[in-house]
Amino acid sequence: MELWDVYDENRVKTGRTIIRGEEMQQGDYHMVVHVCIFGSDGKMLIQQRQPFKEGWSGKWDVTVGGSAVSGDTSRNAAVREVKEEIGLDIDLDGVRPVMTVNFERGFDDYYIIEQDADIDSLTLQPEEVKAVKWADYDEICAMIDSGEFIPYEKEMIGLLFRFRHHTGTIRK
């Protein structure tokens, strides 16, 4: 059972929690995080969701994403999700998301890391991730067009690629 903290529209914790999957009340929101890892060659590490995973089954997505659990800060959730989904340790101390996108029931925080990760040494979470690979902007857009990638707006993907050199991005 996964518990989420409930936030109000101003992103203030309400003091309540909800079990993942339960219907949220009007005016309740939860926090989601995404981490986009870029290599020094400018390609993004992307993951393919397992075909049996609920929501966007079998589709490709940005490097890592997931809901914050009760007690998580945005940074803690991002670090935890990267470790859980691809087995990579990252340090986000002092780093803020490059952007937050509001969606109907929550807040999506996006972090960007520039790091040359060896995909053969990653440990993929079998319940979540089927495969990973490096892809450039044009390849991701073609995958969106073909229906292989979660249908993000291409402009959003473009922002992520442009923000990889934005202040606050981790470079190793």
Side-chain angles (χ1 to χ4, degrees):
M1 171 176 66
E2 187 174 294
L3 284 179
W4 293 346
D5 288 320
V6 176
Y7 296 82
D8 69 14
E9 66 183 7
N10 296 309
R11 200 171 172 151
V12 175
K13 285 184 183 181
T14 64
R16 294 182 290 117
T17 59
I18 187 171
I19 297 172
R20 181 183 188 133
E22 285 185 351
E23 190 170 329
M24 297 177 77
Q25 298 175 22
Q26 185 67 28
D28 285 352
Y29 302 91
H30 77 285
M31 183 175 21
V32 177
V33 296
H34 296 277
V35 178
C36 302
I37 298 177
F38 287 88
S40 58
D41 62 359
K43 292 183 177 182
M44 184 193 298
L45 183 63
I46 62 175
Q47 69 154 282
Q48 185 178 26
R49 297 167 65 86
Q50 286 286 9
F52 50 80
K53 183 156 173 47
E54 187 178 331
W56 307 114
S57 301
K59 302 277 187 197
W60 287 87
D61 195 357
V62 299
T63 312
V64 167
S67 293
V69 296
S70 183
D72 272 346
T73 64
S74 175
R75 272 186 228 137
N76 295 109
V79 169
R80 178 183 48 74
E81 286 290 335
V82 171
K83 182 66 173 176
E84 285 177 3
E85 290 190 11
I86 63 172
L88 188 64
D89 290 310
I90 63 169
D91 180 6
L92 293 177
D93 285 343
V95 177
R96 297 182 336 182
V98 295
M99 69 178 161
T100 298
V101 177
N102 295 314
F103 63 98
E104 184 180 357
R105 301 314 284 150
F107 313 95
D108 261 328
D109 286 344
Y110 284 81
Y111 293 88
I112 294 178
I113 296 173
E114 190 169 286
Q115 184 172 331
D116 290 317
D118 175 14
I119 61 174
D120 294 327
S121 68
L122 298 178
T123 304
L124 307 184
Q125 183 180 22
E127 301 83 17
E128 300 267 343
V129 182
K130 180 178 179 183
V132 294
K133 69 177 183 176
W134 293 100
D136 63 25
Y137 172 76
D138 291 332
E139 184 177 359
I140 292 172
C141 287
M143 293 171 79
I144 290 170
D145 288 341
S146 71
E148 297 172 81
F149 207 93
I150 291 176
Y152 289 100
E153 294 292 332
K154 291 179 191 172
E155 292 83 0
M156 168 83 165
I157 298 297
L159 275 176
L160 294 171
F161 273 82
R162 283 189 288 286
F163 281 171
R164 76 180 185 276
H165 294 286
H166 184 272
T167 300
T169 301
I170 297 175
R171 292 177 192 85
K172 286 191 179 185

